[in-house]
Amino acid sequence: MKRLLLLGVLLAGCASEPRRAPESVPLRGVFRDDFSKFPAGLLSAPVGQLNPAIQEYHYLAHRGVPLEPWSMPLVYLDAWAAGEEDGKPYLEMHLGPDNIRMNAKLYSPQFVTGDHFLKDCTVEVSVKPLSKDDMAGLVFRYHTNRHHYVFVLTGGNKARLAVRQPIEKEYRVSDWRELGVADFPYDVRQYYRLRVECEGPKIRASIDGKQVLAVEDSERLQGKVGLTANIPARFRDFQVQGPIDLKEMTEAARGVSLPEGAPRPVLWKKFETPVYGCGRNVRFGDLDGDGRLDMLFAQIIPKVDSGNFVEASCLTAVTLEGKVLWQVGKPREGNGLLTSDTPFQIHDGDGDGKNEVWLIKDFKLQVLEGATGKVRKTMWLPDVPEEYRKKQFEIKERPHDLNAGDSISFFDLSGKGRRSEVLLKDRYRFFWVYDADLKPLWEGSGQLGHFPYPADADGDGRDEVYIGYARWSPEGKQLWSHDTELKDHADAVAVGNFTGDPKAAPRVYAVGSDEGFLVFDLEGNILKHQRVGHTQNMTVAKLRPDLPGLQIAAINFWKNPGILTVFDPDGNILVQEEPHHHGSMIFPVNWRGDGQEYLLLSGNVKEGGMLDGHLKRAVMFPDDGHPDLAAAALDVTGDARDEILLWDQGRVWIYTQDRPFEGKKLYAPKRSPHFNDSNYRAQVSLPGWK
């Protein structure tokens, strides 16, 4: 098969005969696709036994058939298949209404291509709705999967132009703004040629060559294009025409033409992780006492529910040169991926200057010697509370009498000046607090979310516990809670004065899944509630040197994956984009050393890279065969600037800057400690210099 020619944003090609390879069409600003390159069957499918949550913090270029230059915004839904009808290829959205209806107000399956800068174009496709229950047709001026235009057939008798609005007004609801509706009875037995012409604010929509709607709307004048459907529907012969050459525009958007001044990534070290490797299930800390960071890899055995009941099957401690220090358990390929936290940390809990490994395994909290992996002390976990057996919480099946554990975190509740108290939580309702000798101190319950945050916001020298939508005193008194008011759990929480005004009071920030982004004062009053979709991970850092204080970035996953929003400390939206359709840890990256930090999206050479505070790509990774499944950003060379660690289940590659720092003072931010690590924790990077 001939390779499709990259024209504008995409590979351009068309086929006029069944079963023929698409021929390249070297026309300026034109893209055609008859979908003949896709093999018959589903274009994506779940990875092994894992649920789609694997993509919350792992990067998977595809889970089946390579789609480029297309992409599926709802990466976890597996909604698209290919086939042949009467000898001609088609693309089909195959899910029935019951798969979509519950969340149809939040999202629609889409298949998009092109570039965010595409405008003044004509897009068309042949569509055959296989049901009259809902819509099927074209999506255009696509900004995010919450903000785009559609021209669709719907209800069996209508053609509709509409805009999906970007902001929800209430929980689990988003708005459509209607642009026009025309009567158009249609049959599920035949294809109809839908065409949209965009010229500035003018939009003309036609079916089978006859114009049915003409409107003017300037809310958004550019964006990607593609297909959308809420019911089973088949599509043939997609085409986009534009008056400009889009190739340079697309390359710039992907980071081919990057801004001057940012160092380029160069490979510093790499090593293999045979058999014992894993995905986003690594902890960093000095295990052997040499003053340098090591990596601790954890493989798991999924039990009962791979997202809620996990247990470490093998721990492997490795230096950054790839030397194995010790291993506990039996490694096995295939046990490296996960869709939740695993309860283990590296921390000097007793203050003797040597790190231990804190691990929940076999229904016990186990404290291992960091240098050898030998067990030093253990404690049985508490019984599963009887309340679980009386009510149905978020986890409907509780098969054990003892808690299996969900995460481990450390606090300074006693004012010792170091975080020696340990908090153990389940998923998602109960937690227990112990001292360094594992003596129980107090316990609590609520809508806990995923990972707590320690902060001494009142300045008394002791941490309070911020967990879910609640604040607890060091003695265990709940000071306030929004558990009953807010319907979905908090994925990450951060606390601090991020305004830039040293006299301002600290605030509490939360990314609340379907609740979106929230800002509270220390008394628990909600100051801002931005319903921007299912927010998942959060980073606080100096992303915009031109603005006061720090900025807060939050990325979505479920229902509206990949939407990335940057807020100011008051919770106002500064910018929102959809740089890819995946989740991400969005680590803060002190890459330049000059006071501006970037966001690490992923290590992928096309969709990844580092973003600036305007969500423009500032750094891309070389196309050198490196892994891109998982990533982390931290200083491992000692110069205060961050390195980027990229890995998969078989290898680790570490990148550093291609040049030394040349400024007069070096930015050295204070980060969230390694011993409170989690796939869900808020990444907080506070300003500092050296």
Side-chain angles (χ1 to χ4, degrees), residues 329-351:
K330 186 175 181 180
R332 178 184 178 185
E333 291 183 1
N335 282 6
L337 298 180
L338 80 166
T339 60
S340 66
D341 261 345
T342 298
F344 74 116
Q345 302 285 10
I346 300 173
H347 184 42
D348 178 15
D350 56 13

Side-chain angles (χ1 to χ4, degrees), residues 220-430:
R220 182 161 178 82
L221 300 177
Q222 61 191 39
K224 296 182 179 182
V225 294
L227 316 173
T228 186
N230 277 350
I231 40 87
R234 292 182 177 180
F235 299 87
R236 285 179 177 169
D237 189 21
F238 180 86
Q239 179 173 316
V240 183
Q241 294 181 343
I244 59 175
D245 186 349
L246 305 173
K247 181 176 181 180
E248 293 182 5
M249 182 189 303
T250 302
E251 290 179 344
R254 285 188 172 182
V256 176
S257 301
L258 295 170
E260 294 295 329
R264 299 294 183 259
V266 293
L267 185 63
W268 181 59
K269 290 182 180 180
K270 64 178 179 178
F271 57 90
E272 303 296 311
T273 57
V275 187
Y276 65 80
C278 63
R280 268 294 323 165
N281 207 24
V282 171
R283 298 291 184 263
F284 296 92
D286 180 10
L287 291 168
D288 57 7
D290 65 356
R292 296 181 294 176
L293 290 177
D294 304 304
M295 297 180 71
L296 182 62
F297 295 82
Q299 293 185 332
I300 66 166
I301 302 175
K303 294 182 178 180
V304 182
D305 179 337
S306 62
N308 295 317
F309 301 99
V310 297
E311 183 173 84
S313 59
C314 179
L315 294 180
T316 307
V318 183
T319 71
L320 294 185
E321 285 73 36
K323 176 185 176 182
V324 175
L325 299 174
W326 51 264
Q327 188 173 79
V328 174
K330 186 175 181 180
R332 178 184 178 185
E333 291 183 1
N335 282 6
L337 298 180
L338 80 166
T339 60
S340 66
D341 261 345
T342 298
F344 74 116
Q345 302 285 10
I346 300 173
H347 184 42
D348 178 15
D350 56 13
D352 67 353
K354 299 178 182 179
N355 280 327
E356 303 90 40
V357 173
W358 297 66
L359 166 72
I360 294 178
K361 187 178 186 300
D362 303 323
F363 307 100
K364 293 180 286 188
L365 176 64
Q366 305 181 20
V367 183
L368 315 182
E369 190 175 76
T372 66
K374 295 180 179 179
V375 177
R376 292 175 53 178
K377 53 185 173 181
T378 64
M379 178 197 74
W380 287 102
L381 262 65
D383 292 346
V384 173
E386 187 63 27
E387 189 171 357
Y388 271 123
R389 310 190 186 284
K390 296 177 181 177
K391 299 180 181 179
Q392 279 196 338
F393 289 108
E394 293 182 50
I395 300 176
K396 298 177 182 178
E397 185 177 3
R398 287 280 170 175
H400 314 118
D401 281 353
L402 294 174
N403 266 285
D406 178 66
S407 71
I408 302 172
S409 53
F410 295 91
F411 291 74
D412 181 6
L413 303 178
S414 56
K416 294 178 182 177
R418 60 182 178 86
R419 286 176 171 150
S420 58
E421 284 81 26
V422 58
L423 185 151
L424 311 179
K425 67 178 286 291
D426 69 1
R427 193 176 175 101
Y428 293 82
R429 293 292 174 173
F430 292 87

Side-chain angles (χ1 to χ4, degrees), residues 572-587:
N572 301 307
I573 296 175
L574 297 174
V575 63
Q576 185 177 80
E577 299 290 345
E578 189 179 288
H580 69 183
H581 310 304
H582 306 261
S584 171
M585 297 289 288
I586 52 171
F587 285 101

